[in-house]
Amino acid sequence: MLYKLAELVGGSVGGTRAAVESGFVGHDKQVGQTGKVVAPVLYLALGVSGAVQHTAGMKDSKIIVAINKDPQAPIFSVADYGLVADVTKAVPEIIKEFQESKQAHQTSS
């Protein structure tokens, strides 16, 4: 699901140390103090708690959008926009909206 969203927005998938250790992404995609430092125009922090070790690697992104089901998650303190929601429910809806918008633009062209 994250790779589909990344494809739709022309981005790539990175992850926290926990995501790497769980096998969701490879070590080469780890963002943070012990990984890469990234500063994209748009950073989608999906289910990321916002631990200092991770935010050190992405805090210079131009726009940070965070989705986390914990309203007290530290990621919201660095995010420009935040949505308190379950990522597994929110991301499929976001993908659907992007796909519908893309189809509408193709039809009107």
Side-chain angles (χ1 to χ4, degrees), residues 38-43 58 60-63:
V38 298
V41 172
L42 174 63
Y43 187 90
M58 48 67 77
D60 292 329
S61 301
K62 185 166 172 82
I63 299 170

Side-chain angles (χ1 to χ4, degrees), residues 8-104:
L8 285 169
V9 300
S12 60
V13 174
T16 62
R17 181 175 174 183
V20 170
E21 289 175 352
S22 297
F24 291 117
V25 294
H27 182 70
D28 63 321
K29 300 287 186 182
Q30 182 175 333
V31 175
Q33 285 178 331
T34 56
K36 294 181 178 184
V37 173
V38 298
V41 172
L42 174 63
Y43 187 90
L44 301 175
L46 306 174
V48 173
S49 68
V52 172
Q53 293 83 355
H54 183 75
T55 57
M58 48 67 77
K59 65 181 169 34
D60 292 329
S61 301
K62 185 166 172 82
I63 299 170
I64 300 169
V65 177
I67 302 175
N68 193 300
K69 62 184 174 184
D70 177 4
Q72 302 303 316
I75 192 67
F76 291 121
S77 68
V78 296
D80 297 292
Y81 302 95
L83 174 64
V84 177
D86 183 334
V87 168
T88 63
K89 294 182 174 126
V91 171
E93 289 296 318
I94 293 168
I95 290 170
K96 180 181 170 190
E97 290 295 324
F98 269 109
Q99 289 173 327
E100 289 174 359
S101 177
K102 188 174 183 179
Q103 288 173 349

